[in-house]
Amino acid sequence: MKLGELLVKQGTISEDMLAQALEAQKKDGTRLGTTLINLGYVKEEEMLVALSKHYGVKSVDLRNIEIDESLLKLVPSDLAGKYLIVPVSRFGRTLTVAMINPGDVAAIEDIQFATGFEVDAVVAGEDALLKVVQDHYNVQKMLSDVMYEIEMADAGDADVKVIDGTEVKAAEEDLSSVQDDRDSGPALKLVSKIITDAVDLNVSDVHIEPYEDDMRIRYRIDGILHEMLKPPKRMNRALATVIKVMGKLKVEEKRLPQDGRIKARIHNKIIDIRVSTVPTLFGEKIALRILDRSTVQLNLDLLGFEEKTLKTFRSAIQTPYGIVLVTGPTGSGKTTTLYSALTELNDPGLNIITAEDPIEYSLHGINQLQVHEKIGLTFARALRSYLRQDPNIIMVGEIRDLETTQISIRASLTGHLVLSTVHTNSAGATVTRLINMNVEPFLIASTVLAIESQRLLRKVCSKCRQEVKYPDEVLMDAGLEPGKIDYSLVRGEGCEQCRGTGYKGRIGIFENMMITAEIRDLILKGATSEELEKTAVEQGMETLHDSAIRKLEQGLTSVEEVIRETKVV
């Protein structure tokens, strides 16, 4: 039964009232319920009762309840505004949301996909929903609040100061290209706020992205991107200029990508920020990599290695000569592992030198060189010079071409230990990658000591962790045997501490393939990566999946994370 017919049948309105409301609805384009309320024919309480019957769901009066802020953070602002949806409660993995149209299947599916919760829809009045969405999700209000907070702060106590240069606020004097732009002042303050919040939230990357009609700012927290702000599109130029000035980039260059670095003092901490700008169709996209030294623990024992894997890795890096490679995708913690290894090896009796692009952390007692390809200082050229510096250990930031690989091999053959990274998905695939770079198999077999591959898993939030049961098919998806699990599985329910995600922090999973005599023979015979890994497992190598299962047994991560990072399609 249609809503109007239902109201007439139960005697709330007459046939004439319905006809008048339908005529008025055609003119103003509102929903019938809203039109009836605006005409004074129906009270909002009566409309809620009718809507509840119409959709066959419970109703909720948003005017009489106080919604928990942590719930509001679960639903993205764009979806809340698009569908007029407000989360009102959560029980376990079920999120109850108030909607104007609980029969909108597409809206419910979008919310389920965005939040990861099962959705239970209830009906609420349109005016009440609109007020909550405007109060809590309106992006411009959020931006205004940020600006107000910045404006009210004492200018003498700026949170962000560029060091080895001028204070952030003084950068305004250098904004020659936007001196008359009314957005330059707010942009400068907004950049300061973005960086400060990123440090406070332990963000690894900030992405500032322009689109045709708007722009968005996203933070990567524990490996996942979260939309935080949507400033007006007109601020893109001013934001880009401020960041370029701080990073000592060419302000006028908008056609080519640029890379820079900001060294800042935030809350009395030294923070390194890598800046990358890329021209896109609608403006310059900017990425900021936040490198907070105070949050990084350069200790192999704290990274998440399983005991056996750590023992073999330590054995490899303590060998006087040869090559040890660390592999994994971007953002998997390879540099942290290498720095931890160098920290452990650091000794006054050894000459340790590095060639990096960029230098992420300064290590006392180790000679670090920043590669600068624009002036010809490549990895290969740095390595050639280093070999005349009588090194014991050389760390190369990344092996990315044949020339660098050949010099690294030459260094290992002449009595040096070389540590480096390669972008591959597994230990076995690294050998294939080197061969594809035209490195002779016999050189790989005779110089490479070990190949360590790694990933990062999100840790279940300690505050909202709950024991949970999974369907057998999900367990099998994670490579588990349902009937043989003798430990509790956990998952975060979502809370204020973890911003509703159920995860807080990350931990590494590792596999370490030692190049034994059998594996050397396979490399010389041109074996595939699968054959190499199979032999390594037979010889006792624990795989990335094995390491992930250990984290699952310890209650550190969830089944979903194991599937996300180690499932093989």
Side-chain angles (χ1 to χ4, degrees):
M1 187 179 297
K2 293 181 179 179
L3 178 62
E5 295 173 354
L6 177 63
L7 290 167
V8 171
K9 183 177 180 180
Q10 65 186 21
T12 305
I13 60 172
S14 65
E15 290 279 0
D16 286 340
M17 288 179 178
L18 176 59
Q20 292 173 32
L22 289 172
E23 190 64 30
Q25 184 192 19
K26 291 178 183 177
K27 295 178 181 178
D28 56 27
T30 59
R31 296 175 186 273
L32 178 60
T34 303
T35 303
L36 287 166
I37 292 171
N38 291 340
L39 291 172
Y41 294 159
V42 180
K43 294 180 181 178
E44 187 151 348
E45 296 82 1
E46 294 174 320
M47 183 56 67
L48 270 180
V49 172
L51 287 170
S52 178
K53 289 181 180 178
H54 177 61
Y55 289 111
V57 298
K58 294 179 181 178
S59 64
V60 59
D61 190 345
L62 295 178
R63 298 171 301 175
N64 299 326
I65 64 172
E66 185 174 345
I67 303 171
D68 190 337
E69 285 287 338
S70 63
L71 286 175
L72 293 165
K73 294 175 182 177
L74 297 178
V75 175
S77 59
D78 55 340
L79 292 183
K82 179 180 180 181
Y83 296 118
L84 274 190
I85 286 179
V86 172
V88 293
S89 65
R90 190 191 73 234
F91 182 78
R93 297 303 298 173
T94 300
L95 183 68
T96 300
V97 298
M99 304 174 61
I100 188 64
N101 180 9
D104 191 340
V105 177
I108 292 173
E109 288 179 348
D110 281 356
I111 295 298
Q112 287 181 159
F113 181 81
T115 64
F117 288 91
E118 292 296 319
V119 170
D120 181 22
V122 297
V123 69
E126 184 172 4
D127 285 347
L129 278 167
L130 192 59
K131 185 177 187 308
V132 174
V133 169
Q134 288 177 337
D135 286 348
H136 294 279
Y137 290 106
N138 188 283
V139 175
Q140 296 309 319
K141 179 181 182 300
M142 187 190 304
L143 185 61
S144 297
D145 289 346
V146 170
M147 292 305 185
Y148 178 77
E149 183 180 340
I150 296 169
E151 295 284 359
M152 294 300 290
D154 185 352
D157 297 325
D159 285 327
V160 182
K161 290 184 173 65
V162 175
I163 57 179
D164 294 340
T166 58
E167 292 186 358
V168 169
K169 59 181 181 178
E172 193 168 18
E173 298 172 5
D174 297 324
L175 301 179
S176 54
S177 63
V178 290
Q179 261 183 341
D180 298 325
D181 192 332
R182 62 194 173 97
D183 292 324
S184 61
L188 185 59
K189 294 167 186 173
L190 182 57
V191 169
S192 176
K193 179 67 175 173
I194 288 168
I195 294 173
T196 303
D197 285 352
V199 172
D200 291 341
L201 294 171
N202 198 25
V203 170
S204 61
D205 301 271
V206 176
H207 293 265
I208 301 172
E209 303 164 321
Y211 295 97
E212 184 172 11
D213 300 315
D214 58 7
M215 61 183 295
R216 67 179 178 181
I217 296 173
R218 295 191 292 169
Y219 290 175
R220 188 179 294 280
I221 304 173
D222 295 333
I224 304 297
L225 283 169
H226 301 268
E227 184 176 308
M228 305 301 287
L229 279 176
K230 294 187 75 173
K233 173 65 185 297
R234 58 185 171 81
M235 288 192 71
N236 177 237
R237 179 166 170 258
L239 284 173
T241 300
V242 169
I243 292 171
K244 285 179 178 179
V245 169
M246 293 168 67
K248 298 181 176 63
L249 302 179
K250 294 180 180 178
V251 174
E252 68 282 358
E253 180 56 77
K254 301 178 180 67
R255 301 166 301 168
L256 297 173
Q258 295 189 75
D259 295 301
R261 190 169 190 150
I262 301 168
K263 195 173 185 181
R265 187 184 301 279
I266 303 172
H267 304 327
N268 292 319
K269 294 192 297 185
I270 302 298
I271 305 296
D272 285 320
I273 303 167
R274 283 163 50 187
V275 182
S276 172
T277 69
V278 175
T280 67
L281 182 61
F282 300 110
E284 288 184 278
K285 180 187 182 302
I286 302 167
L288 306 176
R289 169 66 60 88
I290 311 295
L291 303 170
D292 185 353
R293 303 179 191 182
S294 66
T295 63
V296 177
Q297 297 174 310
L298 301 180
N299 186 328
L300 289 174
D301 292 313
L302 302 177
L303 299 184
F305 276 96
E306 305 308 320
E307 184 178 351
K308 183 178 179 181
T309 305
L310 180 56
K311 183 178 179 180
T312 58
F313 184 67
R314 274 198 167 117
S315 171
I317 64 173
Q318 289 167 359
T319 305
Y321 54 87
I323 299 175
V324 177
L325 298 174
V326 176
T327 77
T330 301
S332 60
K334 299 185 297 295
T335 302
T336 300
T337 300
L338 280 182
Y339 277 4
S340 299
L342 289 177
T343 300
E344 187 163 300
L345 294 171
N346 196 2
D347 182 275
L350 295 175
N351 180 15
I352 303 176
I353 53 183
T354 75
E356 306 171 56
D357 183 22
I359 297 173
E360 295 196 2
Y361 302 103
S362 174
L363 303 176
H364 181 70
I366 294 174
N367 303 286
Q368 296 172 266
L369 178 145
Q370 168 73 54
V371 170
H372 200 326
E373 294 194 359
K374 287 183 179 179
I375 61 172
L377 184 54
T378 62
F379 281 117
R381 187 168 181 178
L383 277 172
R384 286 196 197 92
S385 299
Y386 272 167
L387 291 176
R388 296 190 288 271
Q389 291 278 324
D390 185 33
N392 298 103
I393 300 171
I394 301 172
M395 193 270 272
V396 184
E398 180 185 351
I399 288 179
R400 58 174 71 153
D401 55 50
L402 178 60
E403 186 180 15
T404 305
T405 308
Q406 289 175 333
I407 299 171
S408 299
I409 288 172
R410 192 184 313 148
S412 68
L413 289 172
T414 53
H416 307 90
L417 177 65
V418 179
L419 309 179
S420 190
T421 68
V422 183
H423 281 82
T424 57
N425 291 322
S426 67
T430 305
V431 174
T432 305
R433 171 74 190 279
L434 293 174
I435 291 173
N436 287 341
M437 290 168 60
N438 295 321
V439 180
E440 293 290 345
F442 77 89
L443 289 175
I444 299 172
S446 59
T447 58
V448 178
L449 302 169
I451 304 172
E452 183 265 302
S453 182
Q454 62 185 69
R455 299 285 191 283
L456 291 174
L457 296 182
R458 290 186 292 172
K459 294 168 67 176
V460 171
C461 175
S462 58
K463 187 175 180 181
C464 63
R465 57 187 287 141
Q466 299 282 342
E467 289 190 15
V468 3
K469 300 290 184 182
Y470 288 92
D472 287 354
E473 57 267 25
V474 175
L475 297 176
M476 289 187 287
D477 233 13
L480 298 166
E481 296 185 47
K484 296 185 178 180
I485 299 174
D486 57 357
Y487 49 89
S488 298
L489 299 174
V490 297
R491 180 167 56 191
E493 292 298 301
C495 65
E496 188 173 347
Q497 180 174 301
C498 63
R499 298 179 56 81
T501 64
Y503 299 96
K504 184 74 173 177
R506 291 191 288 178
I507 192 166
I509 55 173
F510 305 85
E511 65 181 19
N512 188 45
M513 186 173 79
M514 298 296 290
I515 308 301
T516 61
E518 292 82 359
I519 290 179
R520 286 193 189 95
D521 288 341
L522 288 174
I523 293 173
L524 292 171
K525 292 175 182 176
T528 64
S529 58
E530 289 80 9
E531 291 170 331
L532 293 172
E533 288 171 6
K534 180 181 177 182
T535 301
V537 169
E538 290 171 353
Q539 294 180 345
M541 181 184 82
E542 291 189 341
T543 65
L544 288 172
H545 184 262
D546 294 333
S547 183
I549 297 303
R550 299 288 177 272
K551 303 300 184 292
L552 202 61
E553 292 173 355
Q554 296 162 25
L556 293 174
T557 193
S558 67
V559 170
E560 289 87 347
E561 279 296 286
V562 173
I563 294 172
R564 187 173 71 91
E565 287 295 344
T566 68
K567 181 180 178 180
V568 178
V569 180

